[in-house]
Amino acid sequence: IQRHNESALSFEELYRYGYNLVLHKHGAKVYSGLIQLLSEEMARVCATVQRTFNTNFLPGLIELWKEHTLVMQMVRDVLLYVDFNYIPREKLMPVYDLGLAHFNDEVIHNASIEAHLRDTLLGMVAAE
């Protein structure tokens, strides 16, 4: 889903995999795998954002945020059984919220991105 090849994927099949994994007591593996994939994806997003510092920074960051929220909605839909059965029992953060938190923690609060974002926004305010 993060690689934008959703059309090649079967929602029912993916949902069934998540369902079966939780049913057979592998919810922790699904959740930790999701965290790992999110961290890898956020590293890629950071690199993309940093390449736009001098060109299209803020619009590019907004576009990446929109893409990320859309992807996380699809991931949440696929892992719905995980969200409703495994996560509450283990008192973990829901799938969608986890994805948003990773974007915030690993992209927005990346030292160089955070500083550039602050400077860009302060520059916009000063220009007004």
Side-chain angles (χ1 to χ4, degrees):
I1 293 173
Q2 287 182 330
R3 302 282 183 260
H4 303 293
N5 63 347
E6 306 87 18
S7 62
L9 305 171
S10 163
F11 173 81
E12 293 82 10
E13 191 174 340
L14 293 172
Y15 179 86
R16 194 174 331 113
Y17 287 142
Y19 171 84
N20 285 332
L21 284 167
V22 171
L23 195 63
H24 295 350
K25 309 291 185 213
H26 297 294
K29 189 178 226 177
V30 173
Y31 198 78
S32 64
L34 175 61
I35 290 171
Q36 170 90 25
L37 286 171
L38 284 170
S39 293
E40 291 169 7
E41 183 63 15
M42 293 306 99
R44 186 193 66 76
V45 169
C46 279
T48 301
V49 170
Q50 289 169 338
R51 283 193 303 270
T52 67
F53 274 5
N54 297 322
T55 55
N56 198 24
F57 173 67
L58 202 51
L61 182 61
I62 292 168
E63 186 59 34
L64 287 167
W65 168 252
K66 288 178 183 178
E67 285 178 20
H68 180 68
T69 57
L70 180 63
V71 165
M72 288 312 304
Q73 288 170 1
M74 289 186 269
V75 170
R76 177 198 56 208
D77 291 345
V78 167
L79 296 178
L80 203 57
Y81 191 79
V82 175
D83 240 359
F84 286 128
N85 291 285
Y86 175 74
I87 289 173
R89 183 175 61 236
E90 300 298 321
K91 297 179 176 66
L92 298 170
M93 189 179 293
V95 169
Y96 184 75
D97 297 345
L98 181 69
L100 300 186
H102 268 264
F103 193 94
N104 182 54
D105 296 345
E106 297 182 33
V107 177
I108 300 299
H109 290 296
N110 172 287
S112 63
I113 294 172
E114 186 174 31
H116 194 72
L117 179 59
R118 182 185 56 246
D119 294 344
T120 300
L121 293 175
L122 288 174
M124 292 171 71
V125 169
E128 288 293 317

